[in-house]
Amino acid sequence: MPKARIAVIGMAGKWSTEILADALEARSGYRQIIHPNRLHLDIPNQQLIADDLNLCELDGLIIKKIGQDSGSLALQRLELLRVAEAQGVRIFSSPHALLRLLDRLTCTVTLQTAGLPLPPTCVTESLEEALACIARWGEVILKPLFSTKARGMLLLSQAQSEAALRLELKKFQSRNPMLYVQKRLQLPGEDLGLVFLQGRYLGAYARIAGANTWNTTIHSGGHYAKRDLPQEVIDIAERAQAAFNLDFATVDIALTSEGPVIFEVSTLGGFKGAQSGIGLDIAGLYAESALSSLMGPG
């Protein structure tokens, strides 16, 4: 019986995309990377084309990257991929699930309605409400609704003058009309990524902040380390990823003096942390899981 043909939606030349494509090729003999900007929907013929390949004829797709930046374009690309899914192509993770992850507000509302612990957060179009949050919480982080690796985030403090705060808020709101205002929590110099595959917990890594930065992202100089966590934290993360029905997920959690809080759930990152922090060949495990779900064990 021939092996299933699974292509990777991602960026050729990017580490995580390439190792996933390599892992699929090693196990199935098929290697194909499709840049998300190459998608072409042919409605009369009910085809989704990329570089002369009809994606609707593949067995599966793994979405590794949907674009360099999140936003409406990423959402539209996911809508195009739904065409292949509707014709029976198995997509890991489903575009339906990813549509609730890329928008920070949708992700937050999903977690909140599931009763999961979140940082104090206010979402508003009112500059006055945002100023009131700064006065109440002392320091806040403004977060774009579409961003990754802390890009575009802004730290504001009540130590700044009201005039300076108004100016910063207006500049931020010119790019982000809906203000997502989150209390800056005092973290122990790190936050955590908990890794799940098909809902099964694989391990946790810490992102440890670099010098002279308020965030812990590797993009800002942080580094990874393995962490062993209490079951109560793992249980919270398990509930968080289950709310989205993902094939692969990382749950970002911080341990605060008031208990664990969830920052976000993602399915498009986590490979570097899983490998560097935990020592997992997550690309190989993901490829095996995807192929097994299509072809059966062995």
Side-chain angles (χ1 to χ4, degrees):
M1 180 181 295
K3 294 285 188 178
R5 295 191 304 159
I6 302 177
V8 178
I9 303 294
M11 312 289 189
K14 294 293 186 180
W15 177 78
S16 60
T17 297
E18 294 287 350
I19 64 166
L20 182 54
D22 289 344
L24 287 165
E25 182 180 26
R27 290 158 177 82
S28 71
Y30 184 78
R31 190 183 202 278
Q32 181 70 50
I33 296 173
I34 298 166
H35 195 293
N37 71 4
R38 303 296 295 169
L39 299 174
H40 164 69
L41 174 59
D42 180 351
I43 289 179
N45 294 308
Q46 287 296 293
Q47 294 180 337
L48 184 64
I49 307 295
D51 299 321
D52 298 323
L53 175 66
N54 181 8
L55 275 59
C56 299
E57 296 176 351
L58 294 174
D59 299 294
L61 295 164
I62 298 180
I63 304 175
K64 189 65 200 74
K65 298 291 181 185
I66 201 64
Q68 290 283 44
D69 298 300
S70 298
S72 60
L73 184 58
L75 299 180
Q76 290 154 11
R77 288 169 175 170
L78 288 176
E79 290 292 345
L80 292 179
L81 289 171
R82 288 180 58 206
V83 174
E85 186 175 45
Q87 294 192 39
V89 180
R90 176 70 161 87
I91 301 184
F92 309 84
S93 292
S94 170
H96 290 275
L98 267 67
L99 285 167
R100 294 192 297 150
L101 284 180
L102 295 186
D103 180 338
R104 190 184 306 278
L105 179 55
T106 306
C107 180
T108 297
V109 169
T110 301
L111 294 170
Q112 190 272 329
T113 54
L116 290 157
L118 301 170
T121 303
C122 175
V123 184
T124 180
E125 295 181 58
S126 168
L127 188 145
E128 300 303 323
E129 288 293 339
L131 285 169
C133 289
I134 299 171
R136 182 163 64 251
W137 293 331
E139 287 186 315
V140 305
I141 301 168
L142 296 181
K143 298 184 175 183
L145 296 187
F146 298 96
S147 74
T148 60
K149 297 181 173 60
R151 293 185 179 94
M153 295 186 185
L154 179 65
L155 176 65
L156 296 178
S157 168
Q158 67 179 149
Q160 298 169 256
S161 69
E162 181 176 334
L165 288 173
R166 285 183 178 275
L167 179 60
E168 292 285 3
L169 284 167
K170 287 179 180 178
K171 286 168 57 180
F172 187 87
Q173 195 169 35
S174 69
R175 303 184 301 274
N176 307 276
M178 184 69 74
L179 296 171
Y180 185 103
V181 187
Q182 193 165 84
K183 180 181 179 180
R184 183 191 180 187
L185 302 179
Q186 297 304 312
L187 306 182
E190 65 180 43
D191 62 7
L192 306 166
L194 285 76
V195 182
F196 294 82
L197 185 62
Q198 301 294 353
R200 180 169 65 92
Y201 175 65
L202 299 182
Y205 57 87
R207 284 176 294 258
I208 302 172
N212 303 315
T213 181
W214 58 267
N215 71 69
T216 61
T217 65
I218 305 307
H219 180 75
S220 298
H223 65 277
Y224 297 112
K226 184 177 180 180
R227 288 291 181 267
D228 294 317
L229 300 175
Q231 189 61 45
E232 64 174 302
V233 177
I234 297 171
D235 290 345
I236 289 171
E238 193 282 329
R239 288 173 54 207
Q241 62 86 33
F244 297 92
N245 192 30
L246 301 167
D247 293 293
F248 169 74
T250 55
V251 183
D252 290 351
I253 287 183
L255 302 182
T256 74
S257 59
E258 298 179 0
V261 296
I262 299 172
F263 284 123
E264 67 177 0
V265 178
S266 174
T267 192
L268 301 179
F271 274 31
K272 183 70 75 173
Q275 179 168 305
S276 300
I278 311 174
L280 290 175
D281 174 19
I282 196 65
L285 291 170
Y286 201 175
E288 289 168 7
S289 174
L291 287 165
S292 177
S293 70
L294 290 174
M295 305 296 292

